[in-house]
Amino acid sequence: MSSSSGPLNEELQCSICLDVFTDPVTTPCGHNFCRTCLNNCWTNTQTCCCPFCKESFSRRPDFKINTSLREVVQHFKKKLKRGRSEVFCDFCDGRKQKAVKSCLTCPSSYCETHLEPHHRVPRLKKHKLINVVENLEDYICQKHERPLELFCRDDQTCVCLSCTEGDHRTHNTVPIEEESRQKKNQLVQTQTDVQQMIQNRMKKIQEIQHSVEMRKRNTEKEKSDSVELFTDLIRSIERCQSELLKMMEEQQKAAEKQAEDLIKELQQEITDLKRRNTELEQLSHTDDHLHLIQMYSSLYSRPHAKNWTEISIDSDVNVLPMNRALLQFKKTLHETLDEKLIQFELTCVQKFAVDVTLDPDTAHPYLILSDDGKQVSLGDIEQDVPENPKRFDDDLCVLAKQGFSSGRFYYEVQVKGKTEWDLGVARESINRNGEIEPSPDDGFWTVILRNENQFDACENSSVSLSLKVKPEKVGVFVDYEEGLVSFYDVGSRSHIYSFTGQTFTEKLYPYFNPCPNDEGKNSNPLIITPVNK
């Protein structure tokens, strides 16, 4: 490729074949190559890495042609091809040779042979030679038939020396080479800007493609989580159904056994009664008077038999044990469903994680903040801090630097080993002087721990919370528009409490209070931790 094609050629040049791109593709690191060149480069290799920056990729990327860059390359090639049109010598007889220079003074185009006098004859040496051009008349002043050697900046047009003695006499004119250099510099800057625009758009394409890929992964994960959730529920239903059917079968077997025993007993009584009836029949027709009198007392008395009037087999199913089973199933199902939904909910809200750092301008003077703004603990002495109207002067509180006036956000705080703490969010205009009683009416939405195991939600009337396990890491989620502030136990992936139906009109700031040290029992810091989504 000719060097005359300039810097743009270098930008559109494959670093493998050193030629203008053919079917350009982009690697994940942002570099471009001919598709064929890159495929050849990665043939018979176990690992794929960028030929330019050597960044390696865990798997071979699935490339698609960069259509935007290809259009730029095609436009450049067409322009380059137009610039290579052939011009022939004006003085060759017979078969004309290609011209190598054009003379603006003559005006004519010359091959190497016929140009020779312009290099030798003193008078011709003064002529204006330029690279060969096809439309030579465009370089000649139509009015004075002299070379266009100057540029009028007032009228923004090319002129000859005769023009500067006439209509352009008082105008600002400069040699055309000087104007060309200036405009070339401007073009180079414009070209740089265009190249930057190309790179920005290519980068944006990669960002969009990456976002789509990430969304696809998240969708697949959520689909998998949903399938797992409902699979667990189906298993619970099937298990309870199996237990219920088993109970019904056991009840039926018990009823059948009872009926079988009763029938046997009835049949035995029938046999005994038939035998007695036979004896009575025989005795009532006997002529043996003595025998009749002797047997009379034993046969005349009413036979001893069970009263079967109240005895029956209930044809209806005994629903009481089944009701108990159904109630237990309902309870188990609700617990399972709540647990799974909370786990799913926590996974969803963790996607709104934000980077939170503590604001030293708000911290109570006795609080010690880490250099990275991620930890806060209570010190033994008052810190030398400047006065600031944003600073808490009584309660051991500190706010985050980041405030939120719309949307949703989430952050997590490690509370492991502490016996007391306050966490939540507060509106910007809260009172920072004197003792604080946090509540929504006063601009606080917090959950607190006291006496090691006493958890409360600081509603306008405090709500005592019963937690199965003591949280070691607490997640705080806010949906500004929905008026929702929720707290989660990250370790057990369970729900702690939610403030609902709130109305937010100001910025909300994450709020922290590590509380007194309690003779060293509560000396652990509150730590803002990264969210593992």
Side-chain angles (χ1 to χ4, degrees):
M1 189 65 64
S2 171
S3 61
S4 63
S5 53
L8 183 59
N9 178 28
E10 297 177 4
E11 293 294 330
L12 302 180
Q13 189 179 75
C14 172
S15 61
I16 299 176
C17 66
L18 302 180
D19 206 341
V20 176
F21 292 121
T22 301
D23 292 335
V25 294
T26 305
T27 58
C29 56
H31 296 112
N32 302 297
F33 305 93
C34 299
R35 182 168 62 177
T36 302
C37 292
L38 195 56
N39 283 334
N40 292 338
C41 186
W42 286 352
T43 300
N44 299 325
T45 180
Q46 296 294 327
T47 58
C48 298
C49 65
C50 173
F52 187 82
C53 69
K54 306 305 179 185
E55 179 178 341
S56 59
F57 312 116
S58 57
R59 62 182 181 86
R60 181 167 180 158
D62 183 18
F63 290 119
K64 294 181 180 178
I65 294 174
N66 189 328
T67 54
S68 299
L69 182 57
R70 182 173 64 180
E71 289 175 2
V72 173
V73 170
Q74 290 173 346
H75 176 74
F76 173 75
K77 286 182 176 179
K78 289 178 182 178
K79 183 178 178 182
L80 195 64
K81 187 175 181 180
R82 287 197 300 269
R84 289 176 172 175
S85 58
E86 294 183 343
V87 177
F88 295 97
C89 178
D90 292 328
F91 295 91
C92 283
D93 293 328
R95 184 177 180 180
K96 290 186 174 292
Q97 300 294 316
K98 288 183 181 179
V100 293
K101 289 288 183 181
S102 295
C103 178
L104 295 179
T105 309
C106 293
S108 297
S109 295
Y110 298 92
C111 66
E112 195 68 54
T113 301
H114 290 108
L115 182 65
E116 188 272 334
H118 278 77
H119 296 312
R120 176 173 48 80
V121 178
R123 177 177 60 82
L124 296 178
K125 283 183 177 182
K126 297 179 181 179
H127 286 195
K128 182 79 170 176
L129 294 176
I130 62 172
N131 290 331
V132 63
V133 293
E134 190 173 13
N135 49 339
L136 194 56
E137 64 276 5
D138 293 343
Y139 294 79
I140 307 298
C141 177
Q142 300 300 308
K143 183 176 181 180
H144 302 106
E145 296 185 352
R146 297 186 65 180
L148 295 171
E149 299 179 282
L150 302 170
F151 181 79
C152 176
R153 288 179 170 169
D154 293 344
D155 293 339
Q156 289 293 297
T157 186
C158 295
V159 297
C160 67
L161 283 172
S162 297
C163 292
T164 61
E165 297 170 358
D167 296 341
H168 299 270
R169 184 175 61 255
T170 59
H171 291 184
N172 178 19
T173 57
V174 294
I176 201 166
E177 291 84 357
E178 180 181 336
E179 184 67 19
S180 176
R181 280 194 300 273
Q182 180 176 327
K183 282 186 164 40
K184 187 178 292 185
N185 290 336
Q186 293 172 350
L187 286 174
V188 169
Q189 182 58 49
T190 302
Q191 175 189 340
T192 302
D193 294 341
V194 170
Q195 292 170 3
Q196 186 61 50
M197 290 172 68
I198 293 171
Q199 291 298 323
N200 290 343
R201 280 150 182 78
M202 290 169 60
K203 185 177 180 181
K204 180 57 68 176
I205 289 173
Q206 293 174 7
E207 290 177 0
I208 293 172
Q209 290 173 336
H210 178 70
S211 297
V212 171
E213 181 63 27
M214 289 301 296
R215 183 181 180 86
K216 182 179 179 182
R217 292 179 187 174
N218 291 336
T219 299
E220 291 300 322
K221 186 177 185 305
E222 290 187 11
K223 284 168 60 178
S224 175
D225 292 343
S226 299
V227 169
E228 182 181 352
L229 168 64
F230 286 102
T231 300
D232 287 347
L233 291 176
I234 291 170
R235 285 173 181 163
S236 297
I237 292 171
E238 289 175 344
R239 184 174 63 253
C240 291
Q241 181 189 40
S242 175
E243 292 174 357
L244 186 59
L245 292 176
K246 182 180 179 181
M247 181 182 297
M248 293 172 69
E249 289 174 358
E250 289 174 351
Q251 285 186 357
Q252 179 62 26
K253 288 180 179 178
E256 291 175 356
K257 180 66 168 60
Q258 182 187 9
E260 183 182 345
D261 292 343
L262 290 174
I263 289 170
K264 284 182 179 179
E265 189 176 350
L266 282 166
Q267 288 174 338
Q268 183 61 47
E269 286 192 6
I270 291 170
T271 300
D272 292 343
L273 289 171
K274 283 182 178 181
R275 184 177 64 252
R276 183 164 186 166
N277 185 60
T278 301
E279 291 175 353
L280 287 171
E281 178 69 23
Q282 292 173 351
L283 192 62
S284 64
H285 292 90
T286 184
D287 292 330
D288 187 346
H289 304 295
L290 179 64
H291 179 67
L292 185 149
I293 291 170
Q294 290 175 339
M295 297 299 297
Y296 176 81
S297 59
S298 61
L299 293 176
Y300 177 75
S301 61
R302 188 177 183 83
H304 177 72
K306 183 184 291 187
N307 183 4
W308 292 93
T309 306
E310 302 298 329
I311 297 175
S312 65
I313 298 296
D314 192 351
S315 60
D316 293 327
V317 178
N318 188 353
V319 297
L320 184 59
M322 287 189 289
N323 283 342
R324 293 197 191 102
L326 287 171
L327 288 173
Q328 182 60 41
F329 164 67
K330 184 177 180 181
K331 180 182 178 183
T332 303
L333 183 62
H334 282 181
E335 289 176 351
T336 303
L337 182 61
D338 288 345
E339 179 184 350
K340 294 296 181 182
L341 288 178
I342 288 299
Q343 292 177 4
F344 189 67
E345 177 184 321
L346 180 56
T347 300
C348 292
V349 301
Q350 284 179 323
K351 296 174 184 176
F352 298 97
V354 294
D355 185 20
V356 173
T357 51
L358 301 170
D359 184 0
D361 291 340
T362 66
H364 185 278
Y366 269 84
L367 293 182
I368 299 174
L369 308 187
S370 61
D371 292 339
D372 62 0
K374 298 295 185 181
Q375 301 187 30
V376 56
S377 58
L378 180 62
D380 295 328
I381 59 173
E382 184 174 359
Q383 309 296 308
D384 183 16
V385 293
E387 291 187 7
N388 195 311
K390 297 194 298 181
R391 191 179 305 284
F392 292 94
D393 66 0
D394 190 72
D395 275 29
L396 304 173
C397 309
V398 60
L399 300 180
K401 290 180 180 180
Q402 296 75 19
F404 304 88
S405 56
S406 64
R408 291 168 282 190
F409 64 93
Y410 174 86
Y411 64 95
E412 293 178 353
V413 183
Q414 181 177 304
V415 295
K416 183 178 180 181
K418 295 191 67 63
T419 59
E420 294 188 359
W421 48 257
D422 297 9
L423 288 176
V425 293
R427 66 183 177 217
E428 189 170 23
S429 64
I430 53 171
N431 178 31
R432 307 179 190 216
N433 305 119
E435 187 174 351
I436 294 173
E437 291 294 336
S439 68
D441 281 351
D442 294 323
F444 295 86
W445 292 266
T446 60
V447 166
I448 66 173
L449 168 65
R450 295 291 184 269
N451 302 322
E452 193 168 354
N453 289 300
Q454 179 186 333
F455 294 91
D456 293 293
C458 295
E459 292 274 12
N460 294 322
S461 296
S462 183
V463 177
S464 179
L465 305 177
S466 178
L467 305 184
K468 293 180 179 179
V469 294
K470 184 179 179 180
E472 294 187 350
K473 185 183 292 186
V474 176
V476 183
F477 171 70
V478 176
D479 188 327
Y480 194 96
E481 282 72 23
E482 287 295 321
L484 173 69
V485 182
S486 293
F487 297 81
Y488 299 90
D489 178 349
V490 179
S492 64
R493 303 193 70 78
S494 58
H495 178 250
I496 296 176
Y497 189 78
S498 286
F499 294 85
T500 60
Q502 308 298 306
T503 301
F504 303 131
T505 57
E506 303 178 24
K507 269 189 177 182
L508 298 179
Y509 289 83
Y511 167 85
F512 310 82
N513 184 337
C515 296
N517 281 342
D518 190 19
E519 298 180 349
K521 296 178 183 177
N522 192 42
S523 59
N524 283 7
L526 292 175
I527 304 174
I528 303 169
T529 59
V531 176
N532 297 318
K533 303 176 185 178

